[in-house]
Amino acid sequence: MSTKQITLPVIGMTCASCVTTIEGALNNLSGVEKAGVNLAGGKASVTYDPARVGVPQLVQAVTDVGYEIGTEQVTLQVSGMTCASCVTHVEEALTGLEGVRKAVVNLGLETARVEYIPGLVTVAQMKRAVREVGYGAEEKVEGAEALDREKEARQREIRRQGLYLAFTVPVAMLVMLGTFRDYWILPQLVPEWLGYKWVLGLLTTPIVLGPGRQFFVNSFRGLRHGVTDMNLLYATGIGAAYGIAVVNTLWPTAGFGGEGATFFESAALLTSFIILGRWLEALTRGRTSEAIRKLMRLQPKVARVVRDGREIEIPADAVEVDDIVLVRPGEQVPVDGLVLEGYSAVDESMITGESLPVEKKGGDEVIGGTMNKTGAFKFRATRVGKETALAQIIKLVEGAQASKAPIQKLADWVAGHFILGVHILAVVVFVFWFFVGYNLFFDPSSAFILSPYKLGEIGVFGFSLLLSVTVLVISCPCAVGLATPSAMMAGTGKAAEHGVLFKSAEAIENASKLQTIIFDKTGTLTKGEPSVTDAVADGQWRIADSKAIGHQPAVIGEVLRWAAIAEKNSEHPLGEAIVRGAKAQGLPIPSAESFNAIPGHGVEARFDGREILLGNRKLMRERGVDITTLLPQAEAVEKDGKTVMFLALSSLTSHVPSQDVRRETGDMKLVGLLAVADTLKDYSVEAIQRLHRLGLQVAMITGDNRRTAEAIAKQVGIDRVLAEVLPQDKAEEVKKLQAQGLKVAMVGDGVNDAPALAQSDVGMAIGSGTDVAKETGHVILIKEDLRDVVVAIEVAKATMRKVKQNLFWAFVYNTLSIPVGAGLLYPIFKLVVSPEWAAFLMAISSVTVTLNTLLMRGFVPSIRKEERKRQAVLRQLAPASAGGGGK
Amino acid sequence: MGGLERKVALLSAVSYTGISLTVALAFLVTATLVGTYTDVARFGGAAWVFLLSMIVTMPLVTSRFKKRYRA
C-alpha cells in the first residue's frame, strides 16, 4: 500500500475536544492510516492511502463534524479560450487538481477564479494544468497593470489574427476565382493557369499550414489530454476539405469524386472565415468589459501630500492613512479622506453616478478617483490602496463579472456537451447519407447554396463526408457560451457606472424577477434622525418688546428659540433635533442658567429670569400647566406619528432654585408646542412612485409602533406596512412573503437589517449604511438616493433581456443551421451548404451575439434620462434668460 | 501518482481505440455486406468513422477512468 501525507488547514478549533473530534472523524475513514491535529497551528496532518480515500472525503469528514477547511483564492488570467467548451476544459483541468475546491472560469474576462486549499496545490501547478490542456495561464495582476497586460494581450491577438486575415483573404479570393473561372464572365478576366488544380493546391497549402496551423496544434494539445473544443471542429473541417482536394488532385481516379470534387476553395475560405470570426471577436469582446476599464482608469496616479512640513508629490499608492493631502482645482482626489479645510465642488459622477458636482467643506468625506472642480482643499487620508471606495468597487464589479448566473447553467451545460454532440451528429449524418440518403436523394445536377458549383461527379463517400464536415463547421457553441457572460459583464459595468454595485450575476438575474420590495424605515426611507417638523405658538402669546403675537413667524421662531435654549445641554435625540432646528433657522441659542433633565418627561431650565418647561403632556399636567388650547393641534400632528413637546414659560424674574420652581411657580403659561419626527429622505417618495409604476408591490418594515409606521408609509406612498417587527423577526417576514411565491428584495442599511438582507432574493444595502449590511447585501447602492433601487431593477431587467435575446439568437442559429448543414433540405431543394459558407455563418453568429451585447452600452436608466433632459432644458434656458436680462 | 496517471492514460487509450476500431469495423462490415461500394468509399468511410469515434470516445473514456481511479 503506497500512502500519502497531507496537511489540511482547519478553522474553528477552540479546545482539545475539537482535536479529538476531528482526529476521530478522520481516523474513522477507511483508507486513513493516521490523523493528527495541531490545535495551536490549526492544522490536521493526515496519512492516507490515495487508492482508497481522496482529499474530498477528508475535507467532508472535517466539515461534517462542524469545522471548516481554510481556503485561499487566486485569479488566473487564461488566454486562448474561444468558446464555452474551453470554459469547461479549463474548469475541469483545475478542479481535477488535488486541493482545488472550486474553479469558475469567465470567458469574457478570460479569468479563472480558483478556491484552493493551501499546501495541497500551488498556483504553479494550476498554471501547468491549464497549459497542459492547451491554454495560456498567468497569475492575474491587479489594477492598472492588469489592465495594461490584458490590453496588450488583446492587441497582440487582434494584430496576429489581422495579419493572418490580410494574408488568407486575398489568397483565398484567388483560389475562389480560379475554382470558378469557367463561369460567368470570368473566362475573359481570369488566366487559365489560375484554374489548374495544382495551382489552387499551391495557393491553398500555405493558408492551411500557415494561419490554419493554430487550429490543428490547439486541437492536438486538447486531444492529448482528452478534451475536445472548437479548434477540433475547425481542424476536422479544414483537414477533411484539404485532404480530399489533395487526393482528388494527385489521384483523380481514387474514387473520392475526382477533379470535380477538389475543394481547395472550401479549405481556403473556411480558414479565412474562421480567422475573420476570431479577429472580429477579439475586436469586440474587449469592449464588453469597458466599464471595468473605465473604473480602473479612474485610479489616480499621483498625490500631493504634506510631510515634514513640506509639500511633496508622491505616487497615489504611497499615500498612507492620516497623511494630509492637498487637492487643487482640476486635480483628481487621490485617496478617500475627510476634508480638513478649504471649500470646493467635486465631480463624483464617476463613482456615484451623481450628475451634479457635490460641495465639499470641512468635515465632509471625499472619495478617491473623483475630480475636484473649483476650489482647493486639504484633507486627511482615511482609506488608501486597496481599502479605497474605488478599489472596493473595482473588486466587487470584477467579482460579479466572474460569477455565473443561474441561467448560465443551461447554456454551460449545452456548450460543454456541444462539441461531443456535434461529432456524434457528424457520424450519424455520415452514416445516414452513406447508406441511405445518397441512393435515395442524390442528384448530380445539385449544387451548393449561393454557388454555381455543381456536385456532379462526387461519389457516395465524398458527398457523405461533405455533409458530415459541414455539420462540424456550421455548429457554433461560441454564441451559446458568450450569450450570458458577455451580457452580464456589460450589465454589471453599466450598473456600476450609475452607482449600483451588483455582487454577483445571480443578483442581476434575481433583481430582474422581483415582485415585492421591502424597505427598512429608519435610515433607509427616513433620514434616521429626528428633526423639528412643526412649531406652533399659543394664539395669545406675545413676545416682550414686540408687537408680534400668536401664529406669526417671529412668534413661532421664539417658541423654537426658547425650546432650544432649554435643550442646549441635552443629550437626548429629541433635544438635539430641536437645537439643530433652531441653528438651521439661524436663531441665537444662549446657554441656560440652569438645566435639569426629567427622564421620560422632558426638561426644565432657567434663562433670562424665566423658567422654561419643555416636555410631554404628563410633565405639563404634573406642573399644572393648562394645555387645552393647543390640544387639537397636538392630536393632529400625533396622528402623523410625530412626537409632541409642549413649551411653557414663567413670568418670574427672581432667582428661584429650579427645584423650588416646580412647587412655587403656579404662573407657568403654555406658549407653544413643537413636533419632532424622523423625516423622509429626499427622493424616497419619487423612488416609491417609480417602483409602483414598474408594477412592483412595495412594503415597509419597522420596529416602530403601527401609528408612526403608518404615518410614514402614508407620506411616502407605501400601502403595505409591517410594523412592530423585532429586528430578529425581519427575516421571518421576508420568508413569509417568499412562501407566497414572491421574489422579494429587501432594502436596508443597519446591522439589524442584515438577516433580512441575506434572506431576501436580492438584498440591497445602502452605501452609507453599516459594513455588516454592505457585506450581507447582494447589491450595494453607493449613494443614499433610493431612486437607485429603480436603477438597479432597470439595469437588471435590461441585462436579462439582453441575455435572453443572445440565447435566443444563439439557439435559433444552431437549431436552424445544423439541420440545414446536415442536408435536411437536400431531398426537396437539392441544395447543400458548402463548408466555407458554414464557416462564414458560424463566424457571424458569435459576432452577432457580441454586437447585440454591445448595444447595452447605450442603455440609460429612466431617471438619468429624465435628469439629462432637465439639465438640457436648463442649459437652453440659461443663455436665454441671461440675454433677456441684458436688454 | 505519475505511475497512476500513466496507467489511467494507457487504459483509456486502449479502451477508446478499441471502441473506435469496433465501430469502424462495424461500418466496414456493413458497407461490405450492404450495397456495392468501392474500396475507397468503404475504407475511407471506415477511416472517417474511426476518426470521429476517437474524438467522441477519447474525452468520455479518459474522464471515466480518471474518476474511477481518483475515487
Side-chain angles (χ1 to χ4, degrees):
Chain A
M1 181 178 84
S2 69
T3 56
K4 200 177 168 193
Q5 198 265 325
I6 59 164
T7 304
L8 297 171
V10 182
I11 298 172
M13 291 191 292
T14 52
C15 59
S17 81
C18 301
V19 172
T20 318
T21 310
I22 296 168
E23 281 179 351
L26 289 168
N27 281 317
N28 281 343
L29 284 176
S30 147
V32 171
E33 196 177 85
K34 189 182 157 200
V37 175
N38 179 332
L39 176 64
K43 299 251 181 349
S45 169
V46 192
T47 309
Y48 68 103
D49 175 6
R52 291 169 62 205
V53 67
V55 173
Q57 286 98 321
L58 300 177
V59 170
Q60 190 64 46
V62 176
T63 51
D64 279 351
V65 289
Y67 301 91
E68 280 178 44
I69 296 294
T71 56
E72 285 182 9
Q73 279 204 353
V74 66
T75 305
L76 301 177
Q77 192 74 50
V78 182
S79 56
M81 293 193 292
T82 53
C83 60
S85 64
C86 304
V87 171
T88 315
H89 298 151
V90 176
E91 282 180 351
E92 281 177 0
L94 288 166
T95 48
L97 289 172
E98 192 175 70
V100 170
R101 296 198 72 183
K102 196 175 160 194
V104 181
V105 172
N106 184 296
L107 178 62
L109 287 176
E110 297 185 324
T111 57
R113 200 167 52 176
V114 190
E115 186 186 328
Y116 66 101
I117 302 169
L120 294 192
V121 63
T122 63
V123 176
Q125 285 171 311
M126 293 175 208
K127 289 196 278 188
R128 200 179 313 133
V130 174
R131 284 177 192 144
E132 276 177 359
V133 289
Y135 306 93
E138 287 302 330
E139 197 169 344
K140 193 174 186 298
V141 282
E142 302 293 333
E145 197 186 339
L147 182 68
D148 294 344
R149 279 204 200 172
E150 193 197 336
K151 195 177 167 187
E152 204 178 287
R154 201 173 295 286
Q155 293 294 345
R156 222 176 18 244
E157 177 68 3
I158 292 170
R159 263 199 311 276
R160 191 167 77 105
Q161 300 298 352
L163 274 175
Y164 286 160
L165 206 58
F167 170 70
T168 56
V169 167
V171 179
M173 293 312 287
L174 281 179
V175 174
M176 202 170 75
L177 284 174
T179 306
F180 300 118
R181 77 163 296 279
D182 296 335
Y183 298 93
W184 197 41
I185 55 164
L186 295 180
Q188 282 94 53
L189 301 172
V190 181
E192 193 183 345
W193 58 265
L194 194 59
Y196 298 158
K197 300 299 176 196
W198 61 271
V199 173
L200 297 178
L202 279 180
L203 288 171
T204 306
T205 303
I207 295 180
V208 173
L209 300 183
R213 186 172 168 272
Q214 56 182 318
F215 310 123
F216 293 95
V217 172
N218 291 340
S219 54
F220 176 69
R221 272 190 203 149
L223 276 177
R224 262 196 331 168
H225 293 275
V227 293
T228 53
D229 64 2
M230 280 302 286
N231 288 301
L232 187 63
L233 293 183
Y234 303 148
T236 338
I238 297 168
Y242 181 73
I244 293 173
V246 170
V247 169
N248 282 337
T249 304
L250 297 177
W251 302 282
T253 55
F256 276 77
E259 287 202 341
T262 51
F263 301 120
F264 280 122
E265 92 291 353
S266 286
L269 286 172
L270 184 56
T271 314
S272 305
F273 283 139
I274 294 166
I275 290 171
L276 172 72
R278 287 261 164 113
W279 181 70
L280 286 173
E281 246 183 78
L283 271 183
T284 52
R285 202 190 287 169
R287 292 185 192 167
T288 54
S289 58
E290 202 157 275
I292 195 86
R293 287 161 195 280
K294 272 188 195 168
L295 284 172
M296 283 181 173
R297 274 190 217 116
L298 288 178
Q299 288 181 319
K301 299 272 187 293
V302 291
R304 191 174 301 109
V305 298
V306 180
R307 281 191 185 163
D308 303 326
R310 283 189 309 123
E311 192 181 309
I312 53 166
E313 206 168 81
I314 59 169
D317 291 346
V319 178
E320 289 170 14
V321 172
D322 288 337
D323 267 344
I324 305 299
V325 187
L326 305 167
V327 185
R328 290 177 186 159
E331 284 182 351
Q332 230 180 347
V333 179
V335 292
D336 296 357
L338 268 178
V339 177
L340 296 173
E341 58 185 72
Y343 175 84
S344 186
V346 176
D347 179 3
E348 293 186 342
S349 59
M350 56 291 279
I351 304 282
T352 64
E354 175 64 57
S355 55
L356 295 173
V358 183
E359 287 180 18
K360 298 289 175 188
K361 55 186 186 307
D364 286 343
E365 277 188 20
V366 283
I367 310 168
T370 54
M371 183 59 75
N372 181 30
K373 302 291 262 188
T374 49
F377 61 90
K378 199 183 266 185
F379 73 94
R380 182 172 59 79
T382 52
R383 282 180 300 189
V384 298
K386 287 184 178 176
E387 300 304 316
T388 62
L390 179 59
Q392 296 290 323
I393 288 170
I394 290 170
K395 197 176 156 198
L396 275 178
V397 175
E398 277 189 325
Q401 292 187 339
S403 67
K404 284 185 183 180
I407 198 170
Q408 202 174 330
K409 283 177 190 158
L410 169 71
D412 274 359
W413 188 89
V414 172
H417 294 79
F418 197 87
I419 311 281
L420 271 187
V422 167
H423 276 91
I424 292 170
L425 187 66
V427 177
V428 173
V429 168
F430 180 78
V431 170
F432 170 80
W433 285 102
F434 191 91
F435 290 114
V436 186
Y438 185 83
N439 289 332
L440 283 179
F441 305 115
F442 183 69
D443 179 354
S445 64
S446 55
F448 288 115
I449 289 172
L450 295 174
S451 163
Y453 199 59
K454 300 285 179 216
L455 293 172
E457 302 165 38
I458 197 166
V460 61
F461 172 58
F463 185 72
S464 309
L465 186 64
L466 179 77
L467 290 171
S468 182
V469 167
T470 305
V471 167
L472 292 177
V473 175
I474 209 165
S475 314
C476 182
C478 309
V480 179
L482 278 174
T484 310
S486 64
M488 286 296 173
M489 278 168 66
T492 44
K494 184 55 74 179
E497 265 179 42
H498 293 283
V500 176
L501 301 177
F502 282 96
K503 286 192 191 168
S504 66
E506 190 175 357
I508 289 201
E509 186 170 342
N510 285 342
S512 72
K513 296 176 187 164
L514 288 175
Q515 291 157 301
T516 302
I517 315 259
I518 305 175
F519 283 91
D520 161 54
K521 184 184 84 71
T522 312
T524 303
L525 283 169
T526 65
K527 288 176 182 162
E529 55 176 30
S531 50
V532 177
T533 57
D534 304 79
V536 180
D538 183 84
Q540 298 309 310
W541 188 40
R542 180 186 293 276
I543 306 173
D545 306 326
S546 166
K547 287 183 180 174
I549 187 167
H551 307 300
Q552 289 170 358
V555 182
I556 291 168
E558 272 298 288
V559 171
L560 188 56
R561 189 176 78 89
W562 278 100
I565 291 168
E567 294 279 14
K568 191 174 180 185
N569 295 317
S570 167
E571 287 176 355
H572 194 279
L574 297 181
E576 287 172 350
I578 289 171
V579 175
R580 265 199 313 275
K583 278 184 183 166
Q585 299 228 348
L587 299 171
I589 313 169
S591 294
E593 292 148 10
S594 67
F595 167 81
N596 180 37
I598 310 162
H601 291 74
V603 295
E604 60 183 339
R606 172 193 285 272
F607 175 71
D608 204 18
R610 303 182 79 171
E611 296 301 324
I612 315 166
L613 200 59
L614 180 71
N616 56 18
R617 278 187 181 82
K618 205 173 168 192
L619 179 68
M620 295 297 143
R621 205 164 39 237
E622 278 181 11
R623 301 298 173 88
V625 180
D626 180 16
I627 55 168
T628 47
T629 51
L630 288 178
L631 261 185
Q633 288 97 322
E635 281 165 5
V637 289
E638 276 173 341
K639 267 186 195 163
D640 291 335
K642 298 171 184 174
T643 305
V644 171
M645 284 185 286
F646 296 93
L647 175 72
L649 294 177
S650 75
S651 56
L652 281 183
T653 51
S654 58
H655 288 271
V656 178
S658 62
Q659 288 302 315
D660 300 334
V661 171
R662 195 165 47 206
R663 291 187 298 272
E664 296 173 17
T665 53
D667 63 339
M668 291 293 280
K669 289 278 186 289
L670 183 73
V671 295
L673 68 81
L674 291 163
V676 176
D678 191 2
T679 51
L680 291 175
K681 280 185 184 168
D682 286 346
Y683 298 110
S684 296
V685 176
E686 190 187 340
I688 305 302
Q689 280 172 351
R690 284 177 183 273
L691 289 170
H692 278 142
R693 258 182 266 155
L694 285 175
L696 294 159
Q697 186 187 17
V698 185
M700 186 183 84
I701 196 162
T702 177
D704 288 1
N705 64 65
R706 182 152 288 279
R707 194 176 64 171
T708 309
E710 281 182 349
I712 289 284
K714 195 175 158 194
Q715 284 175 46
V716 79
I718 289 177
D719 37 23
R720 185 164 185 177
V721 179
L722 306 166
E724 291 161 23
V725 181
L726 295 171
Q728 61 270 30
D729 294 337
K730 284 186 177 179
E732 279 304 314
E733 293 294 331
V734 174
K735 256 190 209 170
K736 278 182 200 164
L737 289 169
Q738 286 171 324
Q740 294 169 26
L742 296 168
K743 281 268 178 196
V744 182
M746 168 79 196
V747 187
D749 69 328
V751 174
N752 61 347
D753 298 323
L757 287 170
Q759 174 61 40
S760 61
D761 297 289
V762 183
M764 298 192 190
I766 309 282
S768 59
T770 58
D771 287 344
V772 176
K774 282 187 276 184
E775 274 163 30
T776 315
H778 310 105
V779 180
I780 296 176
L781 310 176
I782 298 178
K783 288 180 289 173
E784 276 201 63
D785 188 340
L786 280 191
R787 293 178 303 172
D788 284 348
V789 174
V790 185
V791 171
I793 292 169
E794 284 183 351
V795 171
K797 281 180 187 279
T799 306
M800 289 314 293
R801 257 200 310 275
K802 206 47 81 184
V803 167
K804 285 172 189 167
Q805 284 168 9
N806 284 351
L807 283 174
F808 173 80
W809 286 117
F811 280 115
V812 159
Y813 165 78
N814 281 298
T815 314
L816 293 179
S817 65
I818 293 177
V820 172
L824 193 72
L825 300 180
Y826 185 79
I828 305 161
F829 300 106
K830 301 295 177 198
L831 289 167
V832 289
V833 182
S834 60
E836 62 263 34
W837 268 106
F840 180 71
L841 290 173
M842 185 276 302
I844 291 300
S845 72
S846 50
V847 171
T848 308
V849 163
T850 316
L851 287 176
N852 187 41
T853 297
L854 287 180
L855 293 178
M856 268 290 283
R857 293 164 77 192
F859 174 80
V860 181
S862 61
I863 292 164
R864 304 283 182 267
K865 262 188 212 163
E866 286 165 26
E867 269 176 9
R868 284 178 194 177
K869 269 186 203 163
R870 267 200 301 272
Q871 282 169 12
V873 171
L874 285 174
R875 272 197 297 274
Q876 279 174 347
L877 288 175
S881 60
K887 279 177 190 177
Chain B
M1 211 50 198
L4 187 67
E5 266 176 18
R6 264 198 302 279
K7 190 179 171 189
V8 168
L10 186 68
L11 280 174
S12 308
V14 168
S15 303
Y16 58 68
T17 311
I19 295 168
S20 304
L21 276 173
T22 310
V23 174
L25 193 66
F27 179 89
L28 189 66
V29 170
T30 313
T32 309
L33 297 175
V34 183
T36 51
Y37 297 103
T38 62
D39 285 350
V40 169
R42 284 189 298 124
F43 286 102
W48 182 244
V49 169
F50 173 74
L51 178 69
L52 292 181
S53 301
M54 284 285 278
I55 291 169
V56 170
T57 53
M58 204 182 277
L60 292 178
V61 172
T62 309
S63 65
R64 179 150 296 191
F65 270 102
K66 271 186 186 168
K67 268 182 203 158
R68 188 191 292 174
Y69 277 87
R70 201 175 289 157

